[in-house]
Each structure stands twice: as C-alpha cells, then as structure tokens.
Amino acid sequence: MKKFKLVTTLMVVGLLLLLSACGTSKTGGSEKKTLRVVTDAAYAPFEYQQKGKIVGFDVDFVNAVAKEAGYNVNIEHVGWDPIFVEIEKKTADFAVSAITITPERQESYDFTVPYFLSRNEILVPKGSTIKSAKDLEGKKIAVQNGTTGQEVVEKLFGKNNPNLKKFENNNLAILELKNGGVDAVVADNSVVETYVKNNPKDNFEFIEDDGAFENEFYGLLLPKGSKLKGDLDKAVKAVIDNGTYAKIYKKWFGVEPDTQTLKD
Ligand code: ARG
C-alpha cells in the first residue's frame, strides 16, 4: 500500500514536471512561425532593392506588424502580377506592395484594415503643358499594368486608349518617360514625389489633381478566408495606435501621418 502511494506520487510529480516543461517551451517565444510575404520591390519608397536587400516603408511597417502579432516574416520579391497569383494559390501568407483596397480585388482577396492613405498623381517633365488630369487627353501615358493608375486613366479616356502604355513595373514606366516615349506617368503620389525629389537631374515635376483622383487606402493582401486576418488586423491597429506607425512614417516621409483619415 505504501509502495503504491509512492509510485503514484512520483508519477504525479513527473507529469507536473513534464507539463511545466511544455509550458515554458511554448511561451519561450523561440518558435515563432515564419510567414512568407511577397512583394514587387520596384516601388520606392514603399519597397525597393538596395544592395540586394528589400527596403522601404512597407518593409519597416510589416516588420513592426509581424513583431506585434508574434510572427517572423520573410519578404520576397516576386513582381506585381505574381503577387496576385501567389495569394490566390495560397503559396504565400500575405502580400505587401502599396496595394490599394479596391472593390474588384475584394471579390477575390481579403485585405487587412487600411494602413496608408494614397492618391494617384501625374509625373511629367518640367514645363510640360499637362497641368491637370484633363490635359492628359490625347497624350501618351505610361502606367504599371494592373494598378489603380491604369484604372484611373481608363476611367478618364476609355479602355482601348492606344495612347496608354502598360509596363510590368513602375520603374519601366518612368524609364519610358525619361526616354521620351510617353508624355506622362500616372502612379501613387508618394512614389511620384519621391522620384522627383531623388532624381533632380531628370527635371521632372508632379501634378496633383484632387478633382480627378480619389483617396485610396493600402491594405495587406491575404488569401480569401485567411485565418491570419484577425491577427494582422489587430497588429496593424496596434502599430498605428502605439506610435510605431508615426515613427516609421516620419523616417520615410519626414512628416506626421494623417492617422485620423486612416481610421475613418
Ligand atoms: N496602389 C496601386 C495599386 O494598388 C499601385 C501599387 C503598385 N505597387 C507596387 N509595388 N508596384 O494598384
């Protein structure tokens, strides 16, 4: 009887030790899941390559969000069109690429809550006669294929506009403007303005048109029904609310973000 009691006690103690060991290894945090994140790293200052590394506002932002949500991330450059294929096939966990939340995309994909306020803008050589979106009529325009830049130009001048040249990435669209193949590029305002600022020798300027172009909001792109959405939404909100977002924003844009419009 005594022996039986001892054996059971030992067994209980053993079980308790085993349970507590499991507990610490779980809360130890060394086994964070690594998420595969895809991007089109040709869209400075959001994501671009520098000395073989992908850097940019989106990279800093996603790292902050992942840290907040308790994940590791591995951000991989795959290109713009492949992003949507990867997310549709669920070969990547999510995408970050200055991707505007649009009703059409929402039919096939999920987005997190908005994290960035943007608008399309026009890039032209200094002294161009193009002073507004209306002036683009009859002019040769370059856009990145499958972007909202393409969408807004098609909305203005129709879908089969022979003057609209579509490129695989935005850098190629800008190169076409440099080479004189087009009169203007339409792309996201932060990208256009960063280009003008960082490339003074190109002699480009940017044209805003708040009447023609509307507010857009970027979101992280997820496969439809992804279980990650809850975690990421919570982390995006936390990063915006706890001031981390403003820090990253200031680093890349030098000014405070308008977080109120993001939340409305
Ligand atoms: N915001 C625009 C859109 O969603 C352009 C994004 C392009 N992003 C990029 N990394 N090339 O259509």
Side-chain angles (χ1 to χ4, degrees), residues 39-44 46-47 58 79-80 83-84 96-102 105 111 118 120 144-151 168-170 187-188 191 216-218:
T39 192
D40 170 34
Y43 213 59
F46 293 101
E47 44 269 324
D58 276 352
W80 181 246
I83 284 176
F84 297 89
V96 65
S97 219
I99 306 172
T100 303
I101 303 170
T102 69
R105 289 174 185 160
F111 281 97
S118 171
N120 272 290
Q144 181 180 14
N145 187 46
T147 59
T148 55
Q150 176 184 342
E151 222 173 84
E168 190 184 321
N169 71 54
N170 198 61
D188 293 355
V191 171
E216 297 183 14
F217 296 92
Y218 300 164

Side-chain angles (χ1 to χ4, degrees), residues 23-149:
T24 37
S25 84
K26 243 189 203 159
T27 50
S30 52
E31 292 165 48
K32 277 193 201 168
K33 191 177 170 202
T34 299
L35 304 176
R36 179 162 185 264
V37 182
V38 287
T39 192
D40 170 34
Y43 213 59
F46 293 101
E47 44 269 324
Y48 59 103
Q49 318 213 27
Q50 200 171 61
K51 295 177 195 138
K53 257 188 86 182
I54 303 172
V55 296
F57 173 90
D58 276 352
V59 175
D60 288 353
F61 174 69
V62 159
N63 279 324
V65 168
K67 193 171 168 209
E68 177 70 33
Y71 294 102
N72 289 321
V73 284
N74 189 12
I75 304 177
E76 210 182 296
H77 166 68
V78 296
W80 181 246
D81 290 336
I83 284 176
F84 297 89
V85 179
E86 295 246 21
I87 299 301
E88 181 142 24
K89 292 194 168 153
K90 302 189 167 92
T91 45
D93 295 295
F94 71 91
V96 65
S97 219
I99 306 172
T100 303
I101 303 170
T102 69
E104 303 78 53
R105 289 174 185 160
Q106 279 175 315
E107 283 175 23
S108 314
Y109 309 92
D110 278 347
F111 281 97
T112 59
V113 291
Y115 74 87
F116 199 92
L117 172 62
S118 171
R119 220 175 241 266
N120 272 290
E121 205 167 83
I122 308 166
L123 179 68
V124 290
K126 264 186 194 154
S128 161
T129 55
I130 298 165
K131 302 287 177 210
S132 71
K134 204 174 83 279
D135 297 336
L136 288 170
E137 179 147 34
K139 293 284 195 294
K140 291 201 178 91
I141 310 160
V143 294
Q144 181 180 14
N145 187 46
T147 59
T148 55

